[in-house]
């Protein structure tokens, strides 16, 4: 219990205090990682090796140094090159599916698994949970240990 | 070497005829219970493999002979393409890839059907039908719409050449391994379908194909890692996984196949999950073929669409028929696929496996959804988009963390039922280790929630695996064996189980390597000779430029002196080359790799006056990804060396039903 409490405390402390003020290069990197390159098929501005993308990366760095926020830079780039370069779907229209369905699939899957496990559980009500029949492997290990103990004695 | 391309078309035609004969003989043999017809059908499958092998020899000879009268050779090779890369031209284009796919399919089919245990004779007949049916589809594609033996309309003096990115050692093994993985799942899929046809729904179908399943999964796993290593060293963007549609095409069936490898253990031990297992292998195989379709159809924007074609209209009906037909078969036999046992408790290894399956399958669904999103978006809004890796990471990281936790918890929980007290006892040390790791990292200044949770869970899982080894070797230690000897004997006693734990340990190391990405630093600068830039703790000085030329490319190598403080660390030489045949520039990265961090340099442009644009990355812990993959490989080797894996005697599942002793 004590170790679980320590773990919980660590997680809470982490979540509450890990935020730090991003600098311009962090902002520029994050923007280049969420906007697709207009010059490479299927690659972000960050990953595209073309020279035009390199110039765009320098330009994004400049925008970030001038104090533009991540959203403002993304909007500026989308206005220039079109909606097709937005790499993170907006939570509206078809994009809503992306934000809802994966989470729902986990919840639904876990719920179905839980119901399945409960429904097909053969444990008689009131059975003592401490009574755990051993598996074959446990029995083999038990026998090996008993043999070893006998040999020692 | 003379070109034997002329033998290509007749070989494919003969293979197609024999595949049709094999399917017909196996169907009649299965329906009429005629063993002789089934044997004849299987022999036809062997002949099909022979003819497809001949077609491969024909294409390879044409590539070696630079026979540009063959359209495929003219499109994917050139006179300057030498040595082993001539062979990689075989899978550099769609038609060659499909031929190679078909070779693997027919050879695997021939080996699996001829070497199947005698007790599976009835399964072999139906499996022969299914495998021949798949071969007919691919041979039909190769006969006309995707023939690698079409003639060039005019014979060029030189070929267009192979994409320079494909001319790397990684590309000699990555595609064949992925295809081996994809195609390998044909065998368990065919035997699962045969089990449904014959109503032999016990464990015969998966014990007969266990080695194939593991083989396919291993090839796919190693292929994916080598693909990551190729991307890291060749693509020049400093990363190893971009969630590219074609990468995802291999990863999605890997996820469902991994779920299958785990859930099939439940069927083996407890005779449960029968419907689930046949459905999972069906879905895995459909996804594997879908992966081939994604790679070769050019349907999604991808850096991998080296070879685009119009084969999509052939693949989609085939995929639909397999999925709908397979699911209909499962539904038809559902009453005979009932579990023979029930869950004893939610706190049991069965439950851990069940939730492991939920996570793997929903992860596969999530990755598939995001991969297909551009098509969905275009259909709904008419706008063609792509999805950035950051979006995939948002979804996949939580999944990964839960799966790592389950990797640690699973082996600790007993089959059937475990008391809360016993559970607390076995979890105590691993949980303390996880918490300890998080506290240490916190003290060291790590503040990322994702990294702290990932490292805590990795420590938890590594200690859980270690404690299993310690527990297992205790009996040998009690007999006086030393630690190493006891661990060796433990491993040798149950290679499937402990080899699996070694694979898990490899996964833990890989995840530790992934966490390094959170600490990555990068910089880019335009440098004149003698100028410096900084990245992380390093100072990089542009010290020189060398220019040269080979038959294939003009090479420009920058010399970069690397120092840390006042210490000279090394000199790296990233290159910016120009390939003549493709008229395409390409960067060759330079990497200094250590277990602590990689320094990764890439020149993105060189001015005529010698100024360079240099990108530099410091990638911490990346070395551990490759080390983890090596450990995984060792674990796979241990599993393969197990007699149980090759189908030798194993304890009857019924024996674990005997509740002889009650543990308190």
């Amino acid at each position: 219990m004590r170790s679980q409490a320590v773990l919980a405390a660590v997680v809470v402390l982490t979540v509450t205090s890990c935020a730090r003020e991003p600098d311009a290069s962090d902002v520029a990197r994050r923007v280049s990682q969420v906007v697709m390159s207009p010059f490479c098929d299927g690659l972000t501005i960050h990953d595209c090796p073309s020279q035009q993308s390199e110039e765009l990366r320098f330009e994004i760095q400049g925008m970030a140094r001038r104090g533009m926020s991540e959203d403002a830079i993304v909007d500026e780039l989308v206005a220039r090159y079109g909606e097709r370069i937005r790499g993170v779907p907006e939570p509206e229209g078809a994009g809503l599916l992306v934000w809802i369905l994966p989470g729902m699939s986990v919840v639904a899957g876990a719920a179905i698994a839980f119901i399945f496990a409960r429904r097909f559980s053969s444990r008689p009500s009131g059975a003592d949970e401490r009574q755990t029949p051993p598996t074959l492997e446990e029995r083999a290990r038990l026998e090996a240990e008993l043999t070893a103990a006998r040999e020692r004695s | 070497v003379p070109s034997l391309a002329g033998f290509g078309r007749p070989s494919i035609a003969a293979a197609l005829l024999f595949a049709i004969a094999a399917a017909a003989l196996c169907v009649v043999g299965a329906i009429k219970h005629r063993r002789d017809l089934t044997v004849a059908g299987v022999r036809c499958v062997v002949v099909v493999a022979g003819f497809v092998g001949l077609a491969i020899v024909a294409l390879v000879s044409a590539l070696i002979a630079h026979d540009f009268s063959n359209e495929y050779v003219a499109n994917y090779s050139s006179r300057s393409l030498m040595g082993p890369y001539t062979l990689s031209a075989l899978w550099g284009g769609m038609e060659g890839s499909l031929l190679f796919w078909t070779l693997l399919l027919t050879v695997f089919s021939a080996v699996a059907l001829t070497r199947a245990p005698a007790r599976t004779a009835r399964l072999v007949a139906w499996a022969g039908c299914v495998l021949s049916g798949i071969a007919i589809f691919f041979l039909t594609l190769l006969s006309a719409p995707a023939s690698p033996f079409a003639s060039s309309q005019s014979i060029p003096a030189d070929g267009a050449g192979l994409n320079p990115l494909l001319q790397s050692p990684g590309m000699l093994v990555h595609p064949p391994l992925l295809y081996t993985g994809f195609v390998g799942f044909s065998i368990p899929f065919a035997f699962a379908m045969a089990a449904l046809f014959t109503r032999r729904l016990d464990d015969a179908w998966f014990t007969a194909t266990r080695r194939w399943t593991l083989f396919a999964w291993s090839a796919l796993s190693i292929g994916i890692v080598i693909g990551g290593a190729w991307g890291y060293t060749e693509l020049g963007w400093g990363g190893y996984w971009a969630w590219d549609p074609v990468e995802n095409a291999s990863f999605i069936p890997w996820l469902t196949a991994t779920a299958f490898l785990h859930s099939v253990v439940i069927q083996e031990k407890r005779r449960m999950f029968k419907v689930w297992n046949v459905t999972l292998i069906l879905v895995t195989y459909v996804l594997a073929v879908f992966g081939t379709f994604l790679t070769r159809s050019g349907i999604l924007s991808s850096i991998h669409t080296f070879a685009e074609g119009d084969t999509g209209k052939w693949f989609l009906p085939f995929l639909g028929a397999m999925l709908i037909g397979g699911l209909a078969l499962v539904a038809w036999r559902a009453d005979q696929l009932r579990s023979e046992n029930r869950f004893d408790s939610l706190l049991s290894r069965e439950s851990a496996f069940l939730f492991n399956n939920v996570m793997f399958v929903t992860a596969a669904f999530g990755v598939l959804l995001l991969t297909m999103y551009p098509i969905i978006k275009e259909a709904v809004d008419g706008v063609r988009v792509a999805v950035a890796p950051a979006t995939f990471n948002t979804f996949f990281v939580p999944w990964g963390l839960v799966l790592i936790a389950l990797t640690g918890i699973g082996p600790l929980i007993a089959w059937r039922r475990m008391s809360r007290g016993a559970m607390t006892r076995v979890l105590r040390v691993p949980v303390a280790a996880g918490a300890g790791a998080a506290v240490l990292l916190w003290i060291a200044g790590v503040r990322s929630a994702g990294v702290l949770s990932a490292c805590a869970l990795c420590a938890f899982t590594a200690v859980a695996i270690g404690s299993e080894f310690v527990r297992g070797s205790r009996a040998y230690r009690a007999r006086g064996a030393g630690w190493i000897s006891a661990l060796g004997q433990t491993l040798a006693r149950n290679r499937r189980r402990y080899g699996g734990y070694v694979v898990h340990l490899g996964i833990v190391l890989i995840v530790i390597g992934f966490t390094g990405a959170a600490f990555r630093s990068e910089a880019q600068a335009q440098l004149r000779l003698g100028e410096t830039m900084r990245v992380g703790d390093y100072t990089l000085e542009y010290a020189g430029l060398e220019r040269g030329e080979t038959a294939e490319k003009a090479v420009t190598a920058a010399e970069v002196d690397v120092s840390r403080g006042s210490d000279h660390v090394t000199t790296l030489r990233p290159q910016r080359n120009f390939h003549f045949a493709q008229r395409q520039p390409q960067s060759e990265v330079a990497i200094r790799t250590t277990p602590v961090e990689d320094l990764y340099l890439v020149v993105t442009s060189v001015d005529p006056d010698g100024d360079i644009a240099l990108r530099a990355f410091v990638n911490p812990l990346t070395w551990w990804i490759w080390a983890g993959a090596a450990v995984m490989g060792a674990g796979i080797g241990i599993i393969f060396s197990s007699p149980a894996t090759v189908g030798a005697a194993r304890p009857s599942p019924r024996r674990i039903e005997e509740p002889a002793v009650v543990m308190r």
Side-chain angles (χ1 to χ4, degrees):
Chain A
M1 276 309 284
R2 204 178 303 154
S3 56
Q4 285 163 359
V6 170
L7 183 61
V10 167
V11 169
V12 170
L13 276 170
T14 308
V15 171
T16 51
S17 63
C18 65
R20 87 184 153 88
E21 200 60 35
D23 60 25
S25 63
D26 284 341
V27 170
R29 185 170 71 175
R30 276 206 292 271
V31 169
S32 71
Q33 285 174 335
V34 297
V35 179
M36 308 310 292
S37 169
F39 315 108
C40 295
D41 250 3
L43 291 179
T44 59
I45 292 172
H46 180 270
D47 299 343
C48 173
S50 81
Q51 201 163 341
Q52 297 104 310
S53 252
E54 179 194 302
E55 284 159 13
L56 202 49
R57 282 195 294 271
F58 279 118
E59 197 183 334
I60 292 169
Q61 257 181 11
M63 292 184 203
R65 284 205 193 100
R66 288 200 302 275
M68 283 176 75
S69 70
E70 272 179 61
D71 287 346
I73 301 174
V74 171
D75 288 345
E76 162 102 25
L77 294 169
V78 168
R80 197 187 303 172
Y81 296 105
E83 195 64 28
R84 73 193 170 93
I85 67 161
R86 199 186 285 280
V88 179
E90 298 253 85
E92 58 188 36
L96 211 53
L97 293 177
V98 168
W99 292 105
I100 290 177
L101 281 184
M104 268 177 61
S105 72
V106 177
V107 173
I112 291 168
F114 185 77
I115 292 164
F116 177 82
R118 293 283 290 201
R119 189 174 160 200
F120 292 97
S121 169
S122 61
R123 183 162 58 88
S125 59
D128 186 349
E129 281 198 334
R130 286 172 302 176
Q131 293 188 347
T132 309
T135 64
L136 189 65
E137 282 160 4
E138 284 166 340
R139 287 178 60 193
R141 197 183 301 157
L142 189 62
E143 279 164 20
E145 287 181 6
L146 284 171
T147 312
R150 271 189 222 112
E151 280 169 7
R152 274 203 307 277
S153 64
Chain B
V1 178
S3 169
L4 303 173
F7 288 100
R9 275 188 191 277
S11 301
I12 296 289
L16 180 56
L17 283 176
F18 273 95
I20 293 167
L25 286 165
C26 286
V27 167
V28 179
I31 293 170
K32 303 269 184 196
H33 302 289
R34 291 269 304 272
R35 186 81 190 274
D36 55 332
L37 293 180
T38 304
V39 169
V42 171
R43 282 184 186 149
C44 285
V45 173
V46 177
V47 175
V48 174
F51 276 116
V52 178
L54 201 59
I56 285 278
V57 170
L59 188 56
V60 170
S61 72
L63 285 164
I64 294 171
H66 302 307
D67 177 5
F68 300 125
S69 66
N70 176 300
E71 194 179 13
Y72 184 83
V73 176
N75 285 341
Y76 297 103
S77 73
S78 61
R79 291 190 189 281
S80 59
L81 193 67
M82 301 300 283
Y85 298 123
T86 312
L87 196 64
S88 49
L90 188 59
W91 43 81
M94 179 187 69
E95 296 84 355
S97 305
L98 290 179
L99 180 60
F100 185 64
W101 214 100
T102 311
L103 175 78
L104 293 175
L105 172 72
T106 51
V107 169
F108 290 176
S109 304
V111 174
L113 294 173
T114 51
R115 290 176 64 96
R119 63 192 157 83
T120 57
R122 285 195 62 211
L123 290 178
V124 165
W126 283 109
C129 304
V130 174
L131 291 167
S132 305
I134 300 167
I136 290 169
F137 168 74
F138 281 97
L139 287 165
T140 308
L141 270 184
L142 289 168
S143 298
S147 172
F149 298 104
S151 301
S152 302
Q153 287 178 342
S154 62
I155 303 174
D158 198 358
L162 189 67
N163 189 315
L165 291 171
L166 299 181
Q167 295 177 42
S168 92
M171 272 297 131
L172 281 175
V173 286
H174 166 64
L177 279 170
L178 285 194
Y179 284 172
T180 301
F182 286 163
V183 178
F185 290 119
S186 316
I187 308 300
F189 163 75
F191 275 78
M193 295 302 108
L196 291 170
F197 278 121
T198 57
R199 295 193 181 89
R200 280 204 58 188
L201 295 159
D202 54 11
D203 52 3
W205 71 268
F206 66 77
T207 49
T209 58
R210 181 189 285 146
R211 204 169 168 77
W212 285 102
T213 310
L214 259 173
F215 170 67
W217 181 87
S218 307
L220 198 53
S221 307
I222 297 167
I224 288 171
V225 173
I226 290 178
W230 170 79
Y232 188 61
T233 53
E234 291 296 324
L235 296 183
W237 55 276
Y240 36 78
W241 188 259
W243 293 106
D244 174 85
V246 176
E247 289 171 341
N248 299 346
S250 57
F251 188 52
I252 297 166
W254 183 88
L255 288 167
T256 54
T258 310
F260 175 73
L261 279 183
H262 287 90
S263 70
V264 86
V265 177
I266 310 267
Q267 185 167 347
E268 198 177 334
K269 299 267 185 196
R270 301 294 322 274
R271 303 213 165 164
M272 298 162 78
F273 288 15
K274 290 182 182 179
V275 175
W276 182 237
N277 283 330
V278 287
T279 310
L280 257 187
I281 196 65
L282 164 69
V283 168
T284 298
Y285 188 60
V286 168
L287 287 170
V289 178
F290 182 66
T292 312
F293 161 70
L294 266 191
T295 317
R296 293 301 158 198
S297 67
I299 190 171
L300 293 162
S301 283
S302 160
I303 54 166
H304 288 76
T305 44
F306 298 117
E308 297 193 1
D310 61 347
T311 48
K313 61 177 182 282
W314 292 80
F315 265 100
L316 283 180
F318 177 63
L319 278 167
M322 269 204 310
L323 187 62
I324 294 166
L327 288 176
L329 255 180
V330 174
W332 186 33
R333 296 286 190 231
D335 58 323
Q336 289 157 51
L337 284 165
R338 290 216 178 93
S339 293
E340 291 172 37
N341 284 304
R342 293 178 154 228
F343 272 91
D344 288 74
S345 162
L346 271 176
L347 210 57
S348 61
R349 195 175 293 184
E350 293 91 313
S351 292
F353 273 100
L354 181 62
F355 284 98
N356 145 309
N357 266 237
V358 168
M359 295 312 292
F360 272 116
V361 172
T362 52
F365 171 73
V367 179
L368 181 66
L369 177 73
L370 284 173
T371 307
M372 300 306 291
Y373 176 70
I375 294 175
I376 299 169
K377 174 80 175 166
E378 193 173 13
V380 174
D381 299 340
V383 183
R384 186 86 170 169
V385 294
V387 179
T391 312
F392 281 92
N393 289 337
T394 306
F395 289 110
F396 197 75
V397 169
W399 258 292
L401 293 178
V402 175
L403 281 169
I404 280 288
L406 285 172
T407 305
I409 294 168
L412 297 176
I413 308 182
W415 287 105
R416 303 191 66 180
R417 186 180 303 166
M418 194 176 198
S419 71
R420 290 203 180 99
M423 179 86 179
T424 310
R425 273 198 303 281
V426 294
L427 281 179
R428 202 177 293 153
V429 175
V431 166
V439 169
L440 281 177
L441 286 170
W442 176 271
I443 293 167
V446 176
R447 294 293 182 268
S448 155
V451 171
L452 284 171
S453 355
C455 290
L457 288 170
C458 283
F460 165 79
T461 302
V463 171
I465 293 167
S467 66
E468 274 301 289
F469 274 97
V470 170
R471 237 194 305 274
S473 57
R474 206 171 278 157
Y476 299 103
R477 289 273 300 146
R479 287 182 203 162
W483 268 113
I484 294 174
S485 163
L487 283 173
Q489 288 180 68
T490 306
L491 202 64
R493 190 189 66 197
N494 193 341
R495 292 181 204 175
R496 267 181 77 202
R497 176 175 168 184
Y498 289 100
Y501 292 161
V502 174
V503 172
H504 285 176
L505 203 57
I507 302 263
V508 167
L509 294 180
I510 289 173
V511 173
I512 289 172
F514 290 161
T515 61
F519 306 104
R520 174 196 275 192
S521 44
E522 64 178 85
Q524 60 176 8
Q526 200 78 32
L527 297 178
R528 288 211 167 136
L529 204 63
E531 282 187 339
T532 60
M533 66 180 280
R534 285 188 63 79
V535 62
D537 296 337
Y538 297 98
T539 303
L540 312 174
E541 183 188 347
Y542 173 30
L545 193 72
E546 290 169 19
R547 293 181 198 270
E549 205 170 294
T550 68
E552 299 154 48
K553 59 194 175 187
V555 179
T556 311
E559 193 176 297
V560 181
D561 280 334
V562 180
S563 54
R564 191 191 264 140
S566 56
D567 300 330
H568 179 260
V569 177
T570 186
T571 301
L572 293 175
R573 288 180 181 79
Q575 297 177 6
R576 182 73 174 171
N577 303 332
F578 186 81
H579 289 257
F580 303 126
Q582 297 79 16
R583 307 197 54 74
Q584 190 179 324
Q586 189 217 348
S587 296
E588 289 279 350
V589 305
I591 306 172
R592 176 184 181 265
T593 186
T594 68
V596 177
E597 63 191 16
D598 285 8
L599 175 63
Y600 183 108
L601 303 184
V602 53
V603 173
T604 51
S605 65
V606 181
D607 284 356
D609 54 0
D611 293 355
I612 59 166
L614 186 67
R615 282 188 95 187
F617 301 84
V618 176
N619 294 330
L621 304 178
T622 306
W623 183 89
W624 291 94
I625 296 173
W626 322 125
V631 172
M632 256 181 91
I636 289 168
I638 293 167
I639 297 171
F640 266 106
S641 70
S642 163
T645 311
V646 293
R650 60 184 185 78
S652 157
R654 295 209 180 279
R655 285 183 60 192
I656 65 167
E657 308 301 322
E658 301 162 16
V661 185
V662 174
M663 288 173 86
R664 287 181 187 277

